[in-house]
Amino acid sequence: MGKLYVNPLPVRIWHWANALLFIVLIVTGVQIRYLDLFQLMSFRTAVVVHNWVAFALIANFLLWLLFYLFSPRNMAYHPEFNIIKLTKASLAQMQYYGWGMFHGEPNPHRIDPYHKFNPLQRTLYQILMLFLLPLQFATGLLLWDVKRFSHLIDLVGGIRVVDTVHVLIFIFFVFYMFIHPYLATLGHTPTAHIKAMITGYEDVDEDEPAPPVAQHPAQA
């Protein structure tokens, strides 16, 4: 078993900061939405904390975006435009998750610094990071100052539409925050991926051939 440096320090800092900010937003968001069910804090406190943490999350997102725009590691997020290739790779990964990993079969995905996500992960992260998260930011900003952005709110269908979209994406991220820790345990050991996000090094089998793109020098 060898080690491969796949998570540079900026990515690890961003990841854990992102997780913390998400948790705070979920807690305050639930308090704002369901004030009559429980009282973790006052409504005003929940709103103020929610707003400030939301701006911190936007700043964190922009740091992530800048890092990947100017780093060759953004290849990890590149979409696969060959539909046939993407379909075959995704089906193979689904078969592994649904059957193979419970029967000792090898993971069809071979990790390297430029391909750390398998086809399913890459597709999911593209949807999360490039569509759902920006959309959540946009709807959140509109709700932050309804009066100032009233013309934009009317343009997209009114406050009910904006609020509904914001809440639906919020619910999606709540479920994601529960599922993500489970998915993080699907390495060769339950803690392998978690340790990799702390140390930066992923354990890999030394006899596994790396993808051709991995021949590029890894950069921190």
Side-chain angles (χ1 to χ4, degrees):
M1 188 71 69
K3 290 185 179 296
L4 192 63
Y5 191 60
V6 296
N7 296 312
L9 182 60
V11 173
R12 284 176 275 147
I13 294 174
W14 169 84
H15 175 272
W16 294 113
N18 209 52
L20 177 61
L21 295 171
F22 258 102
I23 292 171
V24 176
L25 282 176
I26 287 172
V27 172
T28 54
V30 169
Q31 180 65 91
I32 293 170
R33 174 61 55 172
Y34 303 107
L35 185 64
D36 297 334
L37 296 181
F38 51 87
Q39 283 280 349
L40 294 176
M41 62 192 79
S42 70
F43 178 79
R44 178 176 176 78
T45 299
V47 170
V48 171
V49 173
H50 193 82
N51 289 340
W52 280 105
V53 172
F55 282 117
L57 184 64
I58 291 174
N60 200 45
F61 172 81
L62 293 176
L63 289 175
W64 168 86
L65 186 62
L66 286 173
F67 176 81
Y68 275 104
L69 284 176
F70 297 99
S71 168
R73 290 175 183 271
N74 62 20
M75 295 176 67
Y77 288 89
H78 282 187
E80 174 56 68
F81 293 109
N82 187 320
I83 300 301
I84 295 177
K85 183 178 179 180
L86 175 61
T87 301
K88 288 182 178 179
S90 298
L91 289 175
Q93 198 66 42
M94 284 190 283
Q95 182 180 12
Y96 170 75
Y97 281 144
W99 171 268
M101 70 178 186
F102 300 109
H103 295 81
E105 295 180 8
N107 192 329
H109 177 67
R110 296 294 180 263
I111 193 171
D112 76 31
Y114 300 90
H115 286 97
K116 66 178 182 177
F117 300 129
N118 66 50
L120 297 179
Q121 292 171 322
R122 189 166 54 189
T123 300
L124 175 61
Y125 288 150
Q126 286 162 7
I127 295 172
L128 288 177
M129 301 302 294
L130 301 178
F131 176 67
L132 288 181
L133 202 52
L135 183 58
Q136 189 72 336
F137 292 156
T139 55
L141 284 172
L142 295 179
L143 294 171
W144 170 63
D145 195 333
V146 174
K147 185 177 180 180
R148 176 181 297 178
F149 299 117
S150 59
H151 61 292
L152 291 176
I153 293 173
D154 293 338
L155 188 64
V156 297
I159 190 68
R160 181 170 295 182
V161 171
V162 174
D163 184 62
T164 299
V165 172
H166 193 75
V167 171
L168 288 176
I169 299 176
F170 162 77
I171 293 172
F172 173 86
F173 278 119
V174 170
F175 280 102
Y176 177 78
M177 289 298 287
F178 282 102
I179 295 171
H180 185 66
Y182 165 72
L183 296 177
T185 67
L186 299 183
H188 68 279
T189 67
T191 61
H193 292 327
I194 298 172
K195 289 179 179 177
M197 193 50 72
I198 296 174
T199 66
Y201 289 91
E202 185 83 37
D203 293 332
V204 295
D205 291 333
E206 294 179 319
D207 57 346
E208 288 183 354
V213 72
Q215 295 173 1
H216 294 289
Q219 299 184 12

